[in-house]
């Protein structure tokens, strides 16, 4: 509980004194499932005894995805978890269409509830991969924000359909991705390993969290692939931020 109190100043700064206190006690103290926070148009669901409160902190307290991008029209949220990052983007960029992709059944159920009031968010129950194939979650007992996936046979009882970024763009008639956020627990290795020639040149900005502790060659694969393209690279809130110079 001592650690939680250290977050109180951030609640006050981000939400104001009274609303900040209310949000702090809802999220950190009482762990209320149905949370109402000043600045959010609708209530959000945070499951007690899960990592949902940590996701809330990352997105709304620490503003981890507070990018300054000029009027994005299309955002792809890879690794949508329970939808909080997509909600942040929907509020910050009200004219953008946001496609949020999440493989976990339990996370996706909460995601649907959280994003339902936001007409600009398109939830997709799948995972991003280098091709359209079948995957399964291989560590269901892992934290809710750390599920990883692996390829499997289509008739595996735990199988679900994965989608490549190229297929996603074609399915939804997306010409350009203005912001691609990837927090996919090591799947960035596969996403950047193959079949990139369609989607990378049509992506203006990539914000990616690398997971070399899950797959040791994630960074190597990402940088090797991007070396063929004209991207400027920097660090943003501990993540890799890539800007496509050819589309600026």
């Amino acid at each position: 509980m001592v650690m939680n109190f250290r977050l109180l100043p951030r609640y006050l700064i981000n939400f104001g004194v009274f609303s900040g206190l209310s949000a702090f006690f809802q999220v950190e103290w009482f762990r209320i499932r149905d949370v109402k926070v000043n600045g959010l148009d609708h209530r959000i669901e945070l499951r007690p005894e899960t990592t949902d409160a940590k996701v809330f902190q990352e997105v709304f307290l620490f503003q981890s995805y507070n990018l300054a991008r000029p009027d994005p029209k299309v955002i792809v949220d890879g690794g949508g978890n329970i939808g909080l990052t997509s909600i942040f983007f929907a509020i910050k960029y009200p004219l953008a269409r946001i496609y949020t992709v999440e493989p976990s059944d339990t996370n996706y159920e909460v995601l649907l509830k959280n994003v339902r009031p936001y007409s600009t968010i398109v939830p997709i129950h799948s995972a991003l991969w280098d091709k359209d194939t079948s995957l399964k979650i291989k560590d269901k007992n892992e934290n809710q924000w750390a599920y990883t996936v692996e390829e499997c046979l289509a008739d595996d009882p735990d199988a679900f359909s994965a989608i490549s970024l190229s297929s996603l763009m074609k399915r939804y008639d997306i010409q350009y991705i203005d912001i691609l956020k990837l927090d996919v627990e090591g799947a960035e290795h596969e996403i950047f390993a193959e079949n990139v020639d369609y989607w990378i040149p049509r992506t203006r900005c990539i914000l990616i969290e690398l997971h070399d502790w899950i797959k040791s060659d994630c960074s190597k694969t990402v940088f090797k692939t991007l070396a063929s393209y004209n991207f400027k690279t920097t660090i943003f809130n501990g993540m890799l931020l890539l800007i496509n110079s050819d589309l600026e």
Side-chain angles (χ1 to χ4, degrees):
M1 194 61 66
V2 173
M3 290 297 295
N4 288 343
F5 270 114
R6 292 177 182 174
L7 294 174
L8 180 57
R10 283 197 174 269
Y11 277 90
L12 302 182
I13 291 169
N14 280 284
F15 304 115
V17 175
F18 296 109
S19 296
L21 283 171
S22 173
F24 174 82
F25 282 110
Q26 288 179 77
V27 177
E28 307 293 344
W29 188 273
F30 296 111
R31 300 297 174 94
I32 293 173
R33 192 179 188 97
D34 187 37
V35 175
K36 179 66 178 77
V37 178
N38 184 45
L40 301 185
D41 296 333
H42 306 279
R43 293 179 177 274
I44 56 174
E45 179 174 330
L46 303 178
R47 296 163 295 183
E49 309 304 323
T50 70
T51 53
D52 290 0
K54 290 184 179 180
V55 177
F56 177 90
Q57 295 164 8
E58 180 180 273
V59 174
F60 294 110
L61 286 191
F62 294 97
Q63 303 275 306
S64 294
Y65 299 99
N66 193 16
L67 288 170
R69 296 297 297 164
D71 301 321
K73 295 179 177 61
V74 173
I75 298 172
V76 175
D77 181 359
N81 195 259
I82 60 170
L84 301 190
T85 303
S86 290
I87 291 171
F88 180 87
F89 283 141
I91 294 170
K92 183 175 179 62
Y93 302 116
L95 299 181
R97 193 77 165 166
I98 302 159
Y99 300 87
T100 180
V101 186
E102 171 57 41
S104 162
D105 291 342
T106 53
N107 285 348
Y108 188 75
E109 181 180 354
V110 181
L111 182 150
L112 281 179
K113 294 177 183 176
N114 283 336
V115 306
R116 188 172 292 124
Y118 298 87
S119 61
T120 58
I121 299 177
V122 180
I124 302 170
H125 192 190
S126 185
L128 295 176
W129 207 245
D130 65 315
K131 58 183 176 295
D132 300 348
T133 186
S134 295
L135 301 178
K136 66 178 180 181
I137 293 174
K138 66 179 182 180
D139 48 6
K140 291 185 176 181
N141 295 322
E142 187 58 84
N143 289 333
Q144 289 79 9
W145 68 356
Y147 290 129
T148 59
V149 295
E150 61 184 356
E151 291 192 40
C152 65
L153 297 175
D155 60 358
D156 189 296
D158 294 325
F160 61 88
S161 296
I163 188 170
S164 70
L165 277 162
S166 299
S167 293
L168 185 146
M169 293 180 73
K170 293 171 184 177
R171 177 183 298 179
Y172 293 98
D173 194 25
I174 298 170
Q175 301 302 310
Y176 292 93
I177 298 173
D178 295 299
I179 298 174
L180 171 60
K181 168 256 179 181
L182 291 174
D183 186 2
V184 289
E185 308 305 323
E188 62 269 20
H189 171 266
E190 283 76 17
I191 292 169
F192 280 84
E194 301 286 346
N195 302 320
V196 300
D197 291 340
Y198 183 84
W199 68 266
I200 285 185
R202 294 171 173 83
T203 302
R204 301 181 191 279
C205 169
I206 304 172
L207 183 63
I208 180 172
E209 183 172 337
L210 298 171
H211 298 86
D212 286 75
W213 62 93
I214 297 176
K215 293 180 182 177
S216 60
D217 55 352
C218 282
S219 296
K220 180 180 178 180
T221 302
V222 170
F223 284 113
K224 182 179 179 181
T225 297
L226 288 172
S228 300
Y229 300 90
N230 189 17
F231 277 83
K232 294 180 291 187
T233 306
T234 187
I235 301 296
F236 182 84
N237 290 336
M239 292 172 281
L240 193 65
L241 177 61
L242 306 157
I243 307 297
N244 191 339
S245 297
D246 291 338
L247 296 179
E248 286 292 285

